[in-house]
């Protein structure tokens, strides 16, 4: 296989805008999969983290000062390597 990329977020509408830009820039109809995820809902993050990913890359903003870094914690619980790029 090749590289598979997914994009997680709350809004399917914002994902559609992203996918449209991706298609234009990549000149391809192949776009990353959309994974519904709400950072304020632990069960949503848990479900997303347990989909069999090889890596979670978190780009939603720094979690310094956040009482519970839920994406990091759920990635660890799922045994998935985690990178924060913010």
């Amino acid at each position: 296989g090749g590289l598979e990329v997914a994009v997680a977020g709350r809004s399917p509408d914002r994902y559609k805008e992203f996918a449209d830009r991706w298609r234009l820039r990549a000149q391809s109809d192949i776009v990353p999969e959309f994974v519904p995820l709400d950072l304020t809902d632990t069960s949503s993050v848990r479900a997303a983290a347990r989909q069999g990913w090889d890596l979670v890359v978190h780009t939603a903003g720094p979690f310094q000062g956040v009482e519970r870094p839920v994406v990091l914690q759920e990635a660890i619980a799922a045994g998935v390597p985690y990178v924060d790029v913010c």
Side-chain angles (χ1 to χ4, degrees):
L3 176 67
E4 293 181 41
V5 176
V7 174
R10 291 177 298 203
S11 172
D13 292 333
R14 297 227 18 223
Y15 167 76
K16 183 184 176 322
E17 293 170 10
F18 160 82
D20 290 343
R21 287 190 312 272
W22 180 284
R23 282 186 193 94
L24 286 174
R25 290 185 180 142
Q27 297 180 352
S28 170
D29 286 332
I30 300 170
V31 296
E33 172 186 351
F34 176 70
V35 177
L37 183 138
D38 182 345
L39 292 176
T40 65
D41 177 10
T42 302
S43 63
S44 167
V45 177
R46 182 175 296 129
R50 295 174 187 253
Q51 288 188 15
W53 307 113
D54 294 321
L55 175 67
V56 170
V57 179
H58 187 200
T59 64
F63 64 79
Q64 295 86 344
V66 172
E67 190 171 309
R68 183 169 181 259
V70 68
V71 177
L72 171 61
Q73 290 175 332
E74 293 303 328
I76 290 169
V80 181
Y82 169 93
V83 176
D84 189 311
V85 295
C86 297

